[in-house]
Amino acid sequence: MSGDSQIRGWPWREILCFSGIAAILFAIIFTGPQNLVEGNEDRMAGFVQDVAYNGNWICPRDERGGLPSKPPLSAWIAAAATVLSDTINPVTLYFPSALSTLLLACVLFVAGKKYFSYRAGIFAGLTFLFCHSIVKPMGGCRHDTLFALGVTLAALAAFNAWQKGRGWVWFWLASTMATMTKGPFGILLGAAGLLAFFWEKNRPERPRLRGNHGKGIGFFFLITGGWFVLACWKTNGELFHRMIVQELFTHAVTSDRGDSVGSGFSKPTLTFLGGFAPWSLFVILALWRIWKTPSVEPAQRRFERFLFCWFFVGLIIFSVAAHQRGRLIIPLIPIGALLAGRELARFTKNFSRAKFSQTCAAFIVLGLATMAVYFHIGLRKSKGVQQTEALRSLAVKVRSQSSGHWVITHVDSPFAFQFYLKQLTALTPFNVAAPLMEESPSVFLAINPARLKKPPLLHETVYPLTDWTAKGEQLLQIISNRPALDSTGGVALGIGSLIVQMENVTLETVRGNDFVFSRTNGDGSIGFVNESNRTEKMRVRWTEENKERVHLLMPGETWLLENDSK
C-alpha cells in the first residue's frame, strides 16, 4: 500500500488488497477446527433450503417449520449462493457475513480517505478486518454484519445528503437494506449522527437539513411494506405476531432471561472495549479529541461530530435495551474503525511512503498470524469444536453402515451431523416420527435420548445402534425398530412433516420437495404421506428416466407410486 499521496480514480489496488485479506481470513476460519453446534447454522440452513429448494422466497421456514424472527435478506443472499454453487454448506451459509465484512472494509477505507486522509482510510479498513468481533462472525450465520453494512451505508448517505442538500434516496435505500436484514431499528441508527446538525448551530457555514425524501420513503415502504404484507398474508398473520409482538416489542422491554430495560446498561460499553481491543483505546482518544479540540476544517469537523453522535446514540440505545447480546454492538464497530484509523494516521503522519508501506505490511502479517493462532490453536479445545468433531465421527460411522443411503429420520439432529452425513433435510416432529416405529418398515431415528424416557413409547423393542457422546454426555442417539442399520427391504423415512415409505428403491437425492429415486428391482414402490397442514408440491424423478412427476399433496393425503413406470 502506498503513502498519503492523492489517489486518482477508483482505488482498485487497495480494494483488491482488502479483498485478499478478507479471503485469507475466510480461509483461516474454514481450514481450522470447525464449530457447527453453537451458532445459528441449523435454523439458517432450514431457511436457505426452503428458499433455494422449495422456492419460498417470501417467508421461508426453518428445519422445524418455524417462522423467522428477522426479515429474509440474509437468507436470500445465502440461498443465491446455494443455487449458484448447486449445494448448501457452511460456505454458502456464511457467505452473507463474509461478503458484508469485505464490503464494509472497503466502504470504511473510501469514507476514511474522503473525509480524513488516505492513511486514515487504510487503517480504518485494517482495524475493522483485524477485529475479533468482526472476524468471528465471518464463520457464522448471524445477521449482524450484514445489518452493520446497511446501517453504515445509511449513515454515510445521510451525512452526504446533509452536506449537499440532496441524495436522501440513497439513505432510504440503505435503510431498506438494513430493515430487510434485521428490522426498522436500522433507520434510527443510520440517522443518529444527524444530531451533529444541532452541535454545529453556531457555525455560519453549517449546511441546512434540506432535500426531498419523498422518492426514498416511497421506495422504502414499497419494498419493506410490500414484503411484510405478502409474508403476513401467506402465513395468515402468524408472521406479524412473531416479528412485531414477540421479537420487536417484547425484546424492547424484556430479554429471554427476564432482564428489564436498563438492567445491563454497562454491558455494551464493556463489550465494545473488549471486542474492539486494542483499537478501542484509540477510539477513546479520538472521542476525547473531537470533544475538546475539534478540527478547524469545516467538513472534517462536521464528519467527526457526526461520528461522535452516531456512536454515542447507538451505544445508549444498546445500553438501555433489555435484550442484550455481545454481537448486537457490531454496528458500532465501523464507527470505531473510522475513529481509530484517524488516530493511527496521526501517529504515522511523519512516516515516509516506504515506512508507511512497511508498517501496513507488518500490521497485516501480525493480524493474520494472530487470527491463525486463535482459530487453529485457541479454539481446538473448545466444547463446540469437540462436539462438532464427535458429530463428524458419528456421521462417518453411519454413512459406512448405511452405504450413504437416505434412511435416517432426523428428529433432534444438529446441523453438523447432517452436514457431515451429506444429507441435509428438515427435522421431523417427534409426534410424527414416533408412530413410525410401530410400522412394519425399517425406521431409523436420530433422536435425543431424553425423549425415550417420555411417552409415547416408541416401540416395544428399541435398538440403540450408535450414539454421539461428548465429554461423557450422550446427546444424540440412532435408534431403530431393527437390530441393524440396514436399508434392505421397506424403509420409512421422515423429512419434516412428510413421510416417505420406500420398498425396494433407493432415495438418491432430496432438495426440498424434489426427490430422485433409483430402482433396485421392478417391484419397487414409493408412498408419500403429508402430515402437515400445508399443501406440498411434490416432484419425483427416477434416475433411469428423464421425465418428472409433479403432484400437489394435500394435508393428510397419501400419494403412491408403484412398479416401474407408473
Side-chain angles (χ1 to χ4, degrees):
M1 294 184 178
S2 61
D4 212 9
S5 59
Q6 286 292 326
I7 305 298
R8 296 181 179 273
W10 193 249
W12 292 112
R13 180 176 57 182
E14 288 77 7
I15 290 175
L16 286 174
C17 181
F18 285 121
S19 300
I21 295 171
I24 294 173
L25 287 172
F26 203 52
I28 288 173
I29 294 172
F30 281 97
T31 56
Q34 296 295 296
N35 182 351
L36 302 179
V37 300
E38 294 181 341
N40 200 38
E41 286 82 359
D42 51 353
R43 296 202 72 210
M44 180 58 77
F47 294 138
V48 171
Q49 184 170 252
D50 205 20
V51 172
Y53 298 157
N54 296 334
N56 291 330
W57 289 84
I58 299 299
C59 188
R61 292 178 180 267
D62 63 17
E63 79 286 2
R64 293 190 183 274
L67 292 172
S69 61
K70 305 290 189 300
L73 181 58
S74 184
W76 289 348
I77 297 174
T82 297
V83 172
L84 290 175
S85 62
D86 200 34
T87 183
I88 182 171
N89 54 55
V91 174
T92 59
L93 292 178
Y94 302 162
F95 180 70
S97 294
L99 177 64
S100 54
T101 299
L102 167 61
L103 293 178
L104 265 170
C106 295
V107 167
L108 293 175
F109 161 68
V110 173
K113 172 179 174 293
K114 178 179 180 180
Y115 296 111
F116 293 139
S117 68
Y118 174 83
R119 295 186 179 188
I122 291 294
F123 281 126
L126 291 179
T127 55
F128 180 80
L129 283 177
F130 293 122
C131 165
H132 176 264
S133 293
I134 293 301
V135 176
K136 189 175 181 180
M138 287 182 73
C141 295
R142 298 292 180 182
H143 307 76
D144 304 279
T145 311
L146 183 62
F147 180 64
L149 175 62
V151 168
T152 302
L153 291 174
L156 295 175
F159 179 77
N160 188 63
W162 172 30
Q163 303 309 294
K164 295 182 177 179
R166 65 182 186 277
W168 289 101
V169 66
W170 297 111
F171 165 78
W172 286 104
L173 287 175
S175 296
T176 299
M177 173 186 173
T179 301
M180 290 300 294
T181 302
K182 209 173 178 181
F185 179 52
I187 303 175
L188 180 59
L189 285 177
L194 292 175
L195 287 176
F197 170 80
F198 302 100
W199 198 351
E200 289 276 296
K201 65 179 180 179
N202 295 325
R203 302 285 182 171
E205 72 277 10
R206 178 186 67 167
R208 292 186 299 131
L209 279 173
R210 64 189 189 277
N212 189 349
H213 291 261
K215 185 182 294 186
I217 293 175
F219 280 130
F220 176 82
F221 281 105
L222 178 64
I223 297 172
T224 62
W227 164 77
F228 190 66
V229 169
L230 281 174
C232 288
W233 171 75
K234 189 172 182 180
T235 61
N236 296 319
E238 290 182 60
L239 188 70
F240 180 88
H241 185 268
R242 177 74 176 100
M243 284 191 177
I244 304 300
V245 177
Q246 291 184 344
E247 184 69 16
L248 189 60
F249 290 127
T250 302
H251 279 175
V253 297
T254 185
S255 70
D256 298 334
R257 298 179 298 234
D259 298 328
S260 58
V261 173
S263 60
F265 190 85
S266 63
K267 184 176 180 180
T269 300
L270 296 175
T271 301
F272 176 83
L273 293 175
F276 195 51
W279 322 124
S280 51
L281 298 176
F282 295 97
V283 175
I284 295 173
L285 178 59
L287 293 171
W288 176 253
R289 287 185 190 272
I290 293 170
W291 182 259
K292 296 296 291 184
T293 56
S295 173
V296 296
E297 200 281 314
Q300 192 171 98
R301 184 187 64 250
R302 288 193 291 269
F303 185 63
E304 64 185 19
R305 286 180 169 179
F306 181 90
L307 295 177
F308 187 99
C309 294
W310 178 14
F311 179 81
F312 276 107
V313 170
L315 187 62
I316 291 171
I317 291 173
F318 288 124
S319 298
V320 300
H323 179 69
Q324 294 191 358
R325 294 288 187 275
R327 64 179 183 276
L328 298 182
I329 57 95
I330 286 179
L332 301 182
I333 300 296
I335 315 171
L338 285 168
L339 295 173
R342 188 189 188 193
E343 291 305 311
L344 287 169
R346 289 179 188 269
F347 284 106
T348 61
K349 65 180 180 180
N350 294 324
F351 285 12
S352 66
R353 293 182 60 180
K355 187 174 181 180
F356 175 72
S357 297
Q358 293 169 0
T359 301
C360 289
F363 195 114
I364 294 169
V365 171
L366 181 61
L368 291 175
T370 301
M371 294 302 172
V373 170
Y374 173 77
F375 282 100
H376 282 257
I377 300 175
L379 292 181
R380 191 168 297 277
K381 293 184 179 181
S382 70
K383 180 179 179 181
V385 168
Q386 293 187 6
Q387 289 182 344
T388 300
E389 179 58 27
L391 285 169
R392 188 195 65 80
S393 300
L394 174 61
V396 170
K397 184 177 181 180
V398 170
R399 281 181 61 83
S400 66
Q401 295 180 13
S402 64
S403 302
H405 296 158
W406 296 72
V407 296
I408 303 293
T409 297
H410 299 280
V411 179
D412 299 303
S413 297
F415 168 78
F417 177 59
Q418 293 205 55
F419 169 67
Y420 290 118
L421 198 59
K422 299 181 181 180
Q423 296 178 354
L424 189 62
T425 64
L427 299 182
T428 301
F430 180 64
N431 63 332
V432 174
L436 296 179
M437 295 286 286
E438 302 292 341
E439 304 294 332
S440 56
S442 301
V443 176
F444 308 96
L445 305 183
I447 194 169
N448 188 326
R451 290 188 185 272
L452 303 181
K453 303 175 183 178
K454 302 177 182 179
L457 295 177
L458 295 177
H459 194 266
E460 291 182 1
T461 303
V462 175
Y463 297 97
L465 303 182
T466 186
D467 61 46
W468 163 38
T469 303
K471 292 187 176 180
E473 184 179 6
Q474 190 182 48
L475 300 174
L476 186 69
Q477 190 173 46
I478 309 298
I479 64 172
S480 177
N481 54 3
R482 297 291 187 274
L485 191 59
D486 185 359
S487 58
T488 303
V491 176
L493 171 67
I495 299 178
S497 293
L498 186 71
I499 302 302
V500 185
Q501 296 175 330
M502 300 174 286
E503 183 74 30
N504 294 327
V505 299
T506 299
L507 178 57
E508 299 291 345
T509 61
V510 179
R511 290 193 170 180
N513 289 338
D514 293 2
F515 293 80
V516 177
F517 295 92
S518 63
R519 301 183 181 91
T520 55
N521 60 52
D523 297 326
S525 65
I526 310 167
F528 294 97
V529 182
N530 185 0
E531 296 286 353
S532 73
N533 57 3
R534 304 188 304 271
T535 299
E536 303 286 354
K537 187 175 183 180
M538 310 297 301
R539 291 185 176 88
V540 177
R541 182 172 60 85
W542 299 98
T543 56
E544 298 85 356
E545 301 173 1
N546 290 325
K547 67 178 183 178
E548 180 181 78
R549 297 202 58 176
V550 179
H551 181 78
L552 291 178
L553 192 62
M554 306 297 290
E557 181 186 358
T558 299
W559 180 35
L560 297 176
L561 293 88
E562 299 178 336
N563 296 328
D564 58 348
S565 60
K566 293 183 181 181

